[in-house]
């Protein structure tokens, strides 16, 4: 597969349910994409951090908050880079 160049193309690729990784993608890499996507589409995280007992909500909030202050363009570029990295690392086809 050729390298993905645009944010829109990367989002479409990740959303394609027919694209399956040959290796398991760890949660931290999934959360990295989630945080970058939210920063690129919504902007800085808002609201208070969920309680640690709410594990999934807390992990997502933390992943998004890690990119606070990044511009939309910076987050989009980082998202595309991470998608290309995951395609290579986890043999997604």
């Amino acid at each position: 597969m050729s390298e993905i160049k645009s944010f829109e193309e990367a989002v479409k690729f990740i959303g394609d349910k027919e694209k399956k990784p040959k290796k398991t993608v760890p949660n931290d890499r999934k959360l990295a994409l989630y945080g970058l996507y939210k920063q690129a589409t919504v902007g800085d995280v808002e609201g208070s951090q969920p309680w640690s007992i709410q594990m999934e909500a807390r992990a997502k909030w933390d992943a998004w908050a890690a990119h606070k202050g990044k511009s939309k363009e910076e987050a989009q570029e980082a998202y595309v880079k991470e998608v290309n990295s995951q395609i290579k690392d986890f043999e997604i086809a």
Side-chain angles (χ1 to χ4, degrees):
M1 156 149 217
S2 62
E3 188 170 293
I4 292 175
K5 304 269 190 237
S6 74
F7 178 72
E8 293 77 17
E9 188 181 355
V11 169
K12 185 177 178 184
F13 181 87
I14 291 298
D16 186 346
K17 301 297 180 199
E18 293 184 19
K19 306 288 186 195
K20 302 283 184 197
K22 291 183 181 173
K23 300 176 185 175
T24 302
V25 180
N27 283 340
D28 65 320
R29 298 290 296 273
K30 291 177 185 177
L31 286 167
L33 282 179
Y34 174 84
L36 288 165
Y37 177 82
K38 293 295 279 186
Q39 187 67 23
T41 58
V42 179
D44 286 344
V45 68
E46 297 176 356
S48 58
Q49 185 181 44
W51 291 27
S52 59
I53 196 155
Q54 299 170 301
M55 289 183 234
E56 183 178 349
R58 174 77 175 255
K60 286 181 173 183
W61 192 94
D62 289 346
W64 186 3
H67 303 289
K68 190 171 187 174
K70 278 188 183 170
S71 71
K72 177 180 179 177
E73 293 77 18
E74 289 172 323
Q76 287 180 348
E77 288 172 18
Y79 184 89
V80 171
K81 186 176 180 180
E82 178 63 21
V83 168
N84 282 315
S85 176
Q86 287 192 23
I87 288 169
K88 187 181 294 181
D89 293 349
F90 305 108
E91 301 173 21
I92 302 172

